Amino acid sequence: MNDDTREKRWQDHFPRSLPRYVLLACLALAVVSLGVVLMPARPPEPADPPFSEQARAAALADTVRLKDAGSQLGTAKQDGSKDSSAGSTDGPSAGAGNPAIERTVTLLTTQAQALLAPGESPADAASAAAADSGRATPPAPATSSATTAPSVSGQTSAGQSSAGQSSAGQSSAGATAAPLPSTAAGLVAALADSGNQRLADAAVADGGIARLLAAVGTAQLLQATALAAGTGTAAPAVDVAAPRLSGTCPSPSATPQSGAAESSAGQPGPGQSSAGQSAAAAGLGGALAAVVRTEAQTIYGYQVALPRLGGAAAKSAAEELARHDALLGGAELLSRLHCSTVPPREAGYTLGQSFLASPAAGLGSLEAAALPPYGDLVALSEGETRQWAIAALLGAGKRAVLWGTDPGALPGLDPATLPGLEPTTPPSQPAN
């Protein structure tokens, strides 16, 4: 009886209490919702920029900082007592007014302008370099770009060499703090390190940035040698090992592929349409053909110049002629590897009277003329082909300097193609 009474009372009470229960539930739901609103979700972490952009930004920061170091070193007061008492390795010529230091600053200024992104100003680059003051010198380079992984992103790149090494370097933001180089020897070492790192990054960057980085790295290595000679300091090792080339076209009917397909023995690269593959193949084949023709003409020039030279110049010309024979063979082999047509060798080429009158200067002009074709090959290839082109670009720059021709601040790259960068005429450029 009591149970029936309690059940009847609950049934009578529930309809009257239902609005109260609904109100309490709504209030609870509102409180929960308010708590969710007041606790903002964690914003997504910004995606890392592409490796090529990281490499460009790192190159710009290093170049600006090296330029600042050179400017400080070039305007420093000479202190003979400091050199004698502190045991400095820099001679008195390493102080203010040294032409080698001034040329270094000029070269780095031009390179910094070339490395600016669209819409980026030199002031922005200077501020970024100042904020990145923890990186006075780039990480120590490996012995060749063929086995050096990029140090900018800290990850393995798909365009890396067959060694497949992951990056051993650090990003520029995480490098160990160090002051700017304050001596000529320190600037030489930092300039060489930066040049080597630029070439290593060029081996895996996207085409246009790869050519720019290769040009910057080549010029920095060459200028490090010139700065060492101009300041009486130890010269750095300036060399990049080229990969060993071997193989043939995958099949007689194979269509030439771009450098992105090198690792798959001529198979189409991932994500490429047939039209894209054909355009890339045509570009790569054309770049290789241009290198073949350039090397053949250069060999002919050396053959003409050799009997007109004497002493050490004749010996150097004979050595460089052998190197060009190897370069021509390598370019022809790469053409066959990419199933491209190898241009036939011509019997001879026309050389001006200025070449016959001054064969050493003429050889320098021939070496400088080889820089743009190698720069194009860097941009249009990947993998071993690009590594071979980077090594050849540096070699051509070294030989141009050997014969008295200045390859400029951006070897293999026309400054007129870069927005905001006025073309400059290198000093003491010999006429052909």
Side-chain angles (χ1 to χ4, degrees):
M1 184 71 177
N2 291 336
D3 292 340
D4 294 341
T5 302
R6 282 196 297 270
E7 181 177 356
K8 186 175 184 304
R9 288 177 180 176
W10 182 85
Q11 292 175 350
D12 294 340
H13 176 72
F14 181 75
R16 294 194 301 270
S17 302
L18 181 61
R20 183 183 304 172
Y21 294 145
V22 172
L23 178 60
L24 291 176
C26 292
L27 288 175
L29 181 61
V31 170
V32 173
S33 301
L34 183 61
V36 172
V37 172
L38 292 179
M39 296 176 61
R42 173 182 291 181
E45 296 183 0
D48 290 336
F51 170 75
S52 294
E53 172 57 23
Q54 296 182 52
R56 183 205 64 82
L60 177 60
D62 283 341
T63 300
V64 170
R65 298 192 73 255
L66 290 173
K67 176 183 71 69
D68 293 342
S71 298
Q72 295 177 14
L73 184 61
T75 57
K77 298 292 185 180
Q78 296 191 39
D79 187 354
S81 61
K82 177 182 177 180
D83 291 338
S84 60
S85 61
S88 173
T89 59
D90 292 341
S93 63
N98 184 282
I101 295 177
E102 293 176 354
R103 285 194 297 269
T104 300
V105 173
T106 300
L107 178 141
L108 292 170
T109 300
T110 301
Q111 290 186 340
Q113 293 174 341
L115 287 164
L116 290 172
E120 192 175 15
S121 68
D124 296 334
S127 300
D132 191 34
S133 59
R135 179 172 182 172
T137 57
T143 55
S144 78
S145 62
T147 57
T148 303
S151 70
V152 185
S153 63
Q155 60 187 5
T156 303
S157 171
Q160 204 171 320
S161 67
S162 59
Q165 297 176 349
S166 60
S167 173
Q170 295 177 329
S171 66
S172 55
T176 304
L180 285 171
S182 58
T183 64
L187 183 57
V188 167
L191 195 59
D193 287 347
S194 177
N196 278 299
Q197 191 58 59
R198 304 293 77 84
L199 295 186
D201 291 345
V204 290
D206 293 336
I209 295 297
R211 172 164 45 189
L212 176 59
L213 293 174
V216 169
T218 295
Q220 288 182 355
L221 287 174
L222 297 177
Q223 188 58 32
T225 301
L227 180 61
T231 56
T233 57
V238 178
D239 195 16
V240 174
R244 295 176 179 267
L245 303 175
S246 62
T248 59
C249 176
S251 68
S253 61
T255 301
Q257 302 296 339
S258 69
E262 290 176 21
S263 61
S264 58
Q267 297 301 316
Q272 283 188 314
S273 64
S274 298
Q277 294 171 19
S278 299
L284 178 57
L288 286 168
V291 169
V292 169
R293 288 190 291 266
T294 299
E295 284 299 333
Q297 182 175 3
T298 303
I299 288 175
Y300 180 79
Y302 270 90
Q303 291 171 341
V304 172
L306 190 55
R308 293 171 169 82
L309 298 171
K315 180 181 178 181
S316 297
E319 294 173 351
E320 302 307 332
L321 176 58
R323 289 190 176 92
H324 280 289
D325 283 332
L327 286 169
L328 177 56
E332 291 176 335
L333 175 58
L334 284 171
S335 297
R336 290 190 290 270
L337 287 176
H338 291 282
C339 307
S340 299
T341 302
V342 179
R345 299 191 184 188
E346 300 184 18
Y349 299 85
T350 302
L351 298 174
Q353 288 298 323
S354 59
F355 185 96
L356 301 178
S358 181
L363 292 177
S365 295
L366 285 177
E367 296 291 359
L371 294 170
Y374 280 120
D376 290 342
L377 185 57
V378 170
L380 295 171
S381 65
E382 292 184 6
E384 287 190 344
T385 302
R386 179 182 288 179
Q387 293 159 3
W388 183 88
I390 290 173
L393 178 70
L394 177 60
K398 292 167 64 176
R399 289 187 294 271
V401 172
L402 172 67
W403 298 114
T405 299
D406 187 347
L410 298 167
L413 182 63
D414 184 2
T417 62
L418 298 173
L421 183 63
E422 298 180 357
T424 56
T425 302
S428 66
Q429 182 84 359
N432 186 8

